[in-house]
Amino acid sequence: MSAFETIIGLEVHVQLNTQTKIFCSCATSFGDEPNKNVCPTCLGLPGALPVLNREAVKKAISFGTAINATIHQNSIFARKNYFYPDLPKAYQISQYEIPIVGRGNIEINLESYNKTIGITRAHLEEDAGKNIHEGNISKVDLNRACTPLLEIVSEPDMRSSDEAIAYLKKLHSIVRFLGISDANMQEGSFRCDANVSIRPQGDSKLYTRVEIKNLNSFKFIQKAIEFEVERQREAWEDGRYEEQVVQETRLFDTTQGVTRSMRGKEEAADYRYFPDPDLLPVFIDEALMNEGRAIPEMPDEKKARFVEQLGLKPYDAGVLTSSLELSNYFETMLECGASAKGALTWLTTELLGRLKGEKTLTNCGVDAPTLATLVKCIEDNKISGKSAKDILDVLVKDGGGDVESLIDSMGLAQINDDGALLEAIRAVLEANADKVAEYKSGKDKLFGFFVGQVMKSCKGANPARVNELLKQHL
């Protein structure tokens, strides 16, 4: 089999969570009645003039700051001309020559190595509407038209689908931590176009790239890239590369797991870019620049803090900072008094391990203060770890509850009274005098037998204290 290198570049469209659209005052809310949130400006009616949304610019600056990018104080909006049913103006207002966010980079972390991925640009633009196909009928909903997008264009630096997914997950995490987008992939707030090509190992030439359009789940993005790489490799090996691999836009059929040709891929010249005559060149003053640059702690910074200040392992810190929800949940547990080690274990192993089907961290009903209370009860020796697992089972099943009440109602309070424990120990040892003699003669494994008998006779006994007292007594 011939050896090929995969070349992947990604264009990610992030819907910014502004209250209004990028060039008008229409709402950006999702799921409203079709064609409700429209006006002459986003419909492109004669005489309607666009006005740039200041908040969208600020959010773009925040992203640029997070990826160590050049922020252009002066930028220009252009018209990108093409016809499509969901684009009422027959052009899209975008940025081409001078975007707000220039070159930057992010570091991705894979199992055995880290890698820096270059970002060419991140520019503001308006979204198109949405085509809805029902049988032989096609409808257009223009609620989404003119919604602010930040298009993030990577360098072709990724060499596998794993690297592409790691990059996308890091990007997803960054925009969520910044609070500039909900990045909901199901609702189209975070979607990706993948540019894929291959070349023989050792070759430096870039060959024909194929664009796979509008992918909106990590699973399907990975499958689409892997299928396309295999399709191109087979075409090359069969001597049909130039015939079968042409510059085009393809869609991914999620049912069949294959990419299908959609249309020829345009070049920049086909879009006839020119500065939008209705919009003045953008100048970002120092006040807005400073607002945009005031960003919260980013995932990499938070991970480093968890390692340095809390003593967590880098892998565990990476898991906790992989999503905003997980990170916030963990830090709330710490604020409520749980130890870092206890919070980590009971959040990532115990709670997440119990969330099946549609249950997630945000809808399972077990909030961070509740789980922190459970952890503190273990750490204060009020209940055993086994009892805590039983309580967590009930909390997840019932969608929440009160830990202290469950301890009482389930009779799981741990006995820490030395007097009661010593009495149980004496009774067990007197009833098993022959085994005591065997233990003292060197059969150390019998210690577990004694512990079991004491725990059986004294329900709710603290196992750690039983171990200590048994050793002393024996």
Side-chain angles (χ1 to χ4, degrees):
M1 183 183 292
S2 302
F4 291 93
E5 182 179 38
T6 301
I7 312 294
I8 302 168
L10 300 176
E11 298 169 16
V12 178
H13 295 82
V14 176
Q15 183 176 314
L16 301 178
N17 56 1
T18 55
Q19 294 298 306
T20 57
K21 294 183 180 181
I22 189 168
F23 299 119
C24 66
S25 59
C26 291
T28 56
S29 49
F30 178 82
D32 285 351
E33 178 187 340
N35 298 306
K36 175 184 176 183
N37 302 324
V38 294
C39 71
T41 300
C42 50
L43 291 176
L45 298 182
L49 293 174
V51 177
L52 180 59
N53 186 327
R54 183 180 188 274
E55 193 67 17
V57 176
K58 175 184 166 183
K59 290 177 187 293
I61 296 168
S62 295
F63 177 76
T65 304
I67 63 164
N68 303 308
T70 303
I71 310 293
H72 294 134
Q73 197 165 19
N74 295 280
S75 63
I76 297 170
F77 278 93
R79 289 188 180 182
K80 179 180 179 181
N81 295 272
Y82 65 95
F83 175 78
Y84 214 59
D86 57 9
L87 193 68
K89 293 193 285 276
Y91 64 85
Q92 178 187 32
I93 301 177
S94 182
Q95 294 187 303
Y96 181 57
E97 291 181 316
I98 310 175
I100 287 178
V101 179
R103 290 190 175 275
N105 62 77
I106 63 173
E107 184 178 271
I108 60 172
N109 313 109
L110 291 103
E111 214 167 282
S112 57
Y113 65 96
N114 297 336
K115 183 174 182 178
T116 299
I117 305 296
I119 291 178
T120 312
R121 56 198 277 139
H123 58 265
L124 285 172
E125 65 182 19
E126 61 180 344
D127 204 349
K130 183 179 180 182
N131 290 317
I132 303 162
H133 306 291
E134 298 175 353
N136 294 324
I137 299 173
S138 291
K139 304 175 183 178
V140 179
D141 179 6
L142 295 174
N143 278 346
R144 200 171 67 184
C146 218
T147 295
L149 295 180
L150 187 66
E151 181 174 349
I152 304 159
V153 182
S154 82
E155 292 286 302
D157 289 345
M158 287 154 274
R159 295 292 176 266
S160 69
S161 62
D162 287 338
E163 289 187 1
I165 297 305
Y167 167 82
L168 287 169
K169 286 184 175 179
K170 187 65 171 284
L171 214 55
H172 189 270
S173 179
I174 287 171
V175 300
R176 293 278 290 117
F177 272 78
L178 285 170
I180 64 174
S181 173
D182 63 20
N184 187 318
M185 298 182 81
Q186 287 71 37
E187 295 180 1
S189 301
F190 186 95
R191 53 193 194 269
C192 167
D193 300 339
N195 293 291
V196 181
S197 65
I198 64 171
R199 66 187 176 196
Q201 285 284 1
D203 196 340
S204 59
K205 179 182 174 182
L206 291 175
Y207 289 84
T208 304
R209 64 183 172 90
V210 168
E211 181 185 47
I212 312 170
K213 199 78 172 169
N214 285 336
L215 299 163
N216 66 352
S217 89
F218 296 129
K219 174 184 170 185
F220 291 145
I221 292 167
Q222 184 151 26
K223 287 188 172 184
I225 290 172
E226 289 172 355
F227 175 85
E228 185 58 30
V229 168
E230 183 62 17
R231 184 184 76 86
Q232 293 186 24
R233 184 190 65 77
E234 287 180 359
W236 194 302
E237 292 181 339
D238 291 345
R240 294 180 288 122
Y241 179 79
E242 291 186 1
E243 172 193 337
Q244 294 191 354
V245 181
V246 296
Q247 185 163 311
E248 64 177 345
T249 296
R250 296 177 72 87
L251 293 178
F252 182 62
D253 184 329
T254 57
T255 305
Q256 301 295 321
V258 300
T259 63
R260 301 188 189 281
S261 181
M262 179 184 177
R263 61 174 182 262
K265 174 63 180 168
E266 300 86 352
E267 299 282 1
D270 296 324
Y271 291 121
R272 308 189 317 282
Y273 282 99
F274 63 86
D276 192 304
D278 291 337
L279 286 162
L280 291 171
V282 177
F283 172 75
I284 303 172
D285 60 30
E286 286 303 315
L288 180 54
M289 192 72 83
N290 291 334
E291 281 182 48
R293 284 177 169 160
I295 63 174
E297 188 178 42
M298 288 289 95
D300 285 349
E301 297 168 332
K302 197 177 287 287
K303 177 182 175 180
R305 178 168 63 82
F306 285 174
V307 171
E308 293 164 12
Q309 296 183 13
L310 301 179
L312 299 183
K313 295 177 181 177
Y315 173 81
D316 293 329
V319 170
L320 289 171
T321 55
S322 63
S323 80
L324 181 63
E325 290 80 9
L326 206 56
S327 174
N328 287 346
Y329 197 109
F330 174 73
E331 294 203 272
T332 302
M333 287 185 71
L334 299 186
E335 291 167 7
C336 292
S339 69
K341 184 179 179 182
L344 169 71
T345 301
W346 283 85
L347 171 55
T348 61
T349 303
E350 299 298 339
L351 178 56
L352 292 185
R354 286 167 167 78
L355 301 183
K356 309 294 182 186
E358 295 183 1
K359 285 197 174 183
T360 66
L361 198 60
T362 52
N363 70 14
C364 69
V366 184
D367 59 19
T370 299
L371 192 60
T373 299
L374 188 65
V375 171
K376 285 193 293 178
C377 286
I378 303 165
E379 294 174 342
D380 293 341
N381 289 321
K382 290 183 70 174
I383 55 173
S384 67
K386 182 182 181 305
S387 296
K389 291 180 181 181
D390 293 340
I391 291 170
L392 187 56
D393 286 338
V394 174
L395 290 171
V396 172
K397 178 177 174 288
D398 294 348
D402 181 73
V403 172
E404 301 282 359
S405 299
L406 286 170
I407 291 173
D408 292 339
S409 64
M410 296 170 70
L412 296 175
Q414 190 161 259
I415 298 172
N416 292 291
D417 175 30
D418 282 4
L421 296 177
L422 284 169
E423 188 176 329
I425 287 170
R426 289 192 194 100
V428 167
L429 296 184
E430 286 173 8
N432 295 279
D434 55 334
K435 287 186 170 56
V436 172
E438 289 178 41
Y439 174 82
K440 290 185 175 181
S441 68
K443 291 190 176 181
D444 295 346
K445 290 183 179 179
L446 281 169
F447 187 79
F449 166 77
F450 296 130
V451 172
Q453 291 299 305
V454 174
M455 296 296 292
K456 186 177 179 181
S457 68
C458 191
K459 301 286 187 184
N462 181 340
R465 190 61 182 149
V466 168
N467 272 263
E468 291 173 25
L469 294 174
L470 255 175
K471 286 177 182 175
Q472 293 171 18
H473 224 64
L474 284 165

